Amino acid sequence: MEKVADIASDIGEYIRQQRSNAKISLRQLSKLAGVSNPYLSQIERGVRKPSAEILQQIAKGLRISAEALYVQAGILDLPTGGPVGDAIRADTELTERQKQVLLDVYESFRRENAAARPEKSTQAADAKPEDPAAESKESA
């Protein structure tokens, strides 16, 4: 039971941090998210653990990804993405929205490159000269 209280406290603190970064008052966020002011206050203080639906509404109000709140709340596991994804997620200078945009762009580049990879390696094999001396002449 203690772990549930820790998660509620963690998500509440995270929401408070994001609200503070966005320079939005508790009252403004409650209006944007469509949840009552007292309920949002209880979430931020760790008294209540919000449902996934409420987290999604709060994420919309904060203009951050719902996934970020789900991870903080323990609903989703932290996505894997290697060192670049980890570095983006860990950067405290970026907002959640900026992090999500960077991750989306990064993943789109990776997918694009992965799709082009088989074609590229076939072309490279065809163009590769047999004689290393010929290769150094071409690059000179």
Side-chain angles (χ1 to χ4, degrees), residues 20-54:
S20 176
N21 290 346
K23 295 178 176 40
I24 299 173
S25 72
L26 186 74
R27 193 174 302 264
Q28 288 171 316
L29 180 56
S30 73
K31 190 173 184 175
L32 289 169
V35 298
S36 74
N37 196 32
Y39 183 60
L40 184 57
S41 175
Q42 289 173 347
I43 291 170
E44 284 193 358
R45 289 181 286 130
V47 175
R48 299 266 191 152
K49 184 174 184 245
S51 67
E53 186 177 321
I54 296 295

Side-chain angles (χ1 to χ4, degrees), residues 88-106:
I88 291 170
R89 284 185 204 91
D91 192 327
T92 57
E93 297 294 315
L94 300 174
T95 66
E96 286 302 316
R97 182 163 164 35
Q98 290 168 333
K99 290 176 188 180
Q100 192 58 53
V101 169
L102 281 173
L103 289 168
D104 290 346
V105 170
Y106 176 68

Side-chain angles (χ1 to χ4, degrees), residues 46-131:
V47 175
R48 299 266 191 152
K49 184 174 184 245
S51 67
E53 186 177 321
I54 296 295
L55 287 174
Q56 184 175 21
Q57 290 173 236
I58 292 170
K60 275 185 188 174
L62 289 170
R63 293 188 170 172
I64 64 173
S65 76
E67 182 183 62
L69 290 182
Y70 294 159
V71 169
Q72 285 296 132
I75 295 171
L76 284 179
D77 291 332
L78 185 63
T80 58
V84 174
D86 292 344
I88 291 170
R89 284 185 204 91
D91 192 327
T92 57
E93 297 294 315
L94 300 174
T95 66
E96 286 302 316
R97 182 163 164 35
Q98 290 168 333
K99 290 176 188 180
Q100 192 58 53
V101 169
L102 281 173
L103 289 168
D104 290 346
V105 170
Y106 176 68
E107 285 306 316
S108 73
F109 286 153
R110 289 179 49 88
R111 282 191 301 273
E112 184 179 307
N113 291 346
R117 200 170 295 131
E119 182 182 309
K120 185 179 176 183
S121 62
T122 305
Q123 289 174 349
D126 292 343
K128 192 173 189 181
E130 297 289 324
D131 180 7

